[in-house]
Amino acid sequence: MTARLIDGKHVAEALRARIAADVASLPYRPGLTVIMVGDDPASVTYVRNKDKAATQVGIDAVTLQMPADTSQPALLERIGTLNADPAVDGILVQMPLPAHIDPGMIVEAIDPAKDVDGFHPFNVGRVASGRDALVPCTPLGVMRLLAHADAAIAGARALVLGRSSIVGRPTVALLLAADATVTVAHSRTRALAEECRRADIVIAAMGQPELVRGDWIKPGATIIDVGINRRPDGRLVGDVAFAECKEVAGAITPVPGGVGPMTIACLLDNTVAAARRRRGLTG
Ligand code: NAP
């Protein structure tokens, strides 16, 4: 058996086209401000990609580049100004921050209604209790890919590999809200392979290159591979041994070209959703 490929690039393109049409129909341009402190090279690339993708769909994207020695009070003050600015619908502070700044305090300073990363405790709490919220972008992308793959979630056994606050935990909450029977595994889990063999849906988010093997997979299972790992030879691989697993699974995402492209598309979607909510247009 060869699994159906869940093409995240294609799904993300369709989502971006839908968002662009949506934005074009609005009487205003949603505003997204990305704050970057310092010039970490990976962050510079991410931020540039976010800015470009936002501009392409008609979002008014602004990148605020602040020096690496920006003080925490200065950053908090800037966030306060953006919170009060009616033209700003989404605020995102690029992580990691320099060591002298407490990321928790920064995230909590963002108006939850503008928290398009979905990391503010208000949104985290709402997601955890199954309520409407701004949902973190990668887990949102995972759920969109499952929907695209027509995965039957209600009643299914779902295994989430990884319990980070940005991927694993919110994904658990979203799967529960969609009526899956959810197991969450982590580095202390015993018999990971056994857990995996029981799962109808496997979400891998560990950062462990190709840890999940073909003989761990229940025939016909749906696999969403969030992991992005670089092999010493430069190859990008996921947390799932793709060549093996695709012979057993029913549907599987590739790496690259699976969850990755969905994350930025979901950020754009969150920005438009935040704008509609704040400005009172829910249609
Ligand atoms: P993280 O914060 O490092 O968390 C990794 C999680 O995996 C932890 O819960 C850890 O367990 C668990 N884990 C590690 N090794 C394990 C093992 N051998 N067996 C079982 N569980 C294990 O990572 P993250 O930020 O969630 O990211 C996970 C992966 O997704 C990374 O490869 C990252 O690059 C990728 N990612 C991709 C996107 C995207 O847009 N596609 C976005 C975000 C992240 P403990 O809690 O016990 O330590």
Side-chain angles (χ1 to χ4, degrees):
M1 177 174 172
T2 300
R4 209 153 34 92
L5 198 71
I6 307 171
D7 183 349
K9 222 172 137 207
H10 173 78
V11 180
E13 267 164 28
L15 178 58
R16 285 206 305 267
R18 207 258 294 142
I19 296 167
D22 196 15
V23 170
S25 74
L26 292 172
Y28 55 84
R29 289 185 72 183
L32 170 68
T33 298
V34 179
I35 305 180
M36 216 191 120
V37 184
D39 54 4
D40 170 64
S43 297
V44 170
T45 309
Y46 284 139
V47 168
R48 198 177 296 138
N49 290 342
K50 286 172 186 171
D51 195 292
K52 195 170 143 208
T55 306
Q56 273 170 356
V57 297
I59 289 172
D60 198 2
V62 174
T63 299
L64 278 181
Q65 178 86 51
M66 300 179 79
D69 63 357
T70 299
S71 70
Q72 182 160 304
L75 179 55
L76 289 170
E77 192 187 326
R78 188 54 81 93
I79 291 170
T81 307
L82 294 169
N83 283 342
D85 185 343
V88 175
D89 298 290
I91 304 169
L92 185 158
V93 179
Q94 184 65 39
M95 301 291 167
L97 286 166
H100 66 278
I101 298 179
D102 173 0
M105 275 196 71
I106 298 306
V107 168
E108 288 186 29
I110 297 172
D111 177 352
K114 299 188 178 190
D115 167 40
V116 284
D117 252 347
F119 294 161
H120 190 287
F122 177 87
N123 285 311
V124 173
R126 288 186 69 107
V127 169
S129 51
R131 298 179 69 194
D132 189 33
L134 284 167
V135 174
C137 303
T138 301
L140 188 57
V142 167
M143 297 306 289
R144 291 248 162 86
L145 289 178
L146 286 174
H148 174 80
D150 281 329
I153 302 177
R157 280 180 191 272
L159 173 68
V160 180
L161 297 163
R163 56 175 167 181
S164 73
S165 54
I166 63 164
V167 189
R169 284 168 201 255
T171 303
V172 168
L174 295 175
L175 286 165
L176 266 180
D179 296 326
T181 300
V182 188
T183 303
V184 55
H186 45 79
S187 66
R188 305 292 295 273
T189 298
R190 273 179 296 216
L192 205 57
E194 297 303 312
E195 294 292 346
C196 220
R197 283 186 198 111
R198 277 194 285 272
D200 304 303
I201 296 171
V202 176
I203 314 291
M206 299 173 287
Q208 297 293 324
E210 300 177 302
L211 183 73
V212 178
R213 311 307 307 190
D215 64 356
W216 294 21
I217 300 301
K218 179 176 177 178
T222 300
I223 304 175
I224 308 286
D225 191 354
V226 183
I228 304 175
N229 312 285
R230 200 169 285 283
R231 285 282 190 201
D233 63 5
R235 228 168 19 104
L236 222 50
V237 298
D239 288 353
V240 170
F242 181 80
E244 291 174 17
C245 293
K246 81 171 183 359
E247 297 305 320
V248 191
I252 186 168
T253 57
V255 175
V259 177
M262 293 299 290
T263 297
I264 288 186
C266 288
L267 169 69
L268 309 180
D269 207 19
N270 272 354
T271 303
V272 177
R276 280 185 181 280
R277 272 179 222 175
R278 278 190 52 253
R279 303 189 197 221
L281 291 169
T282 50

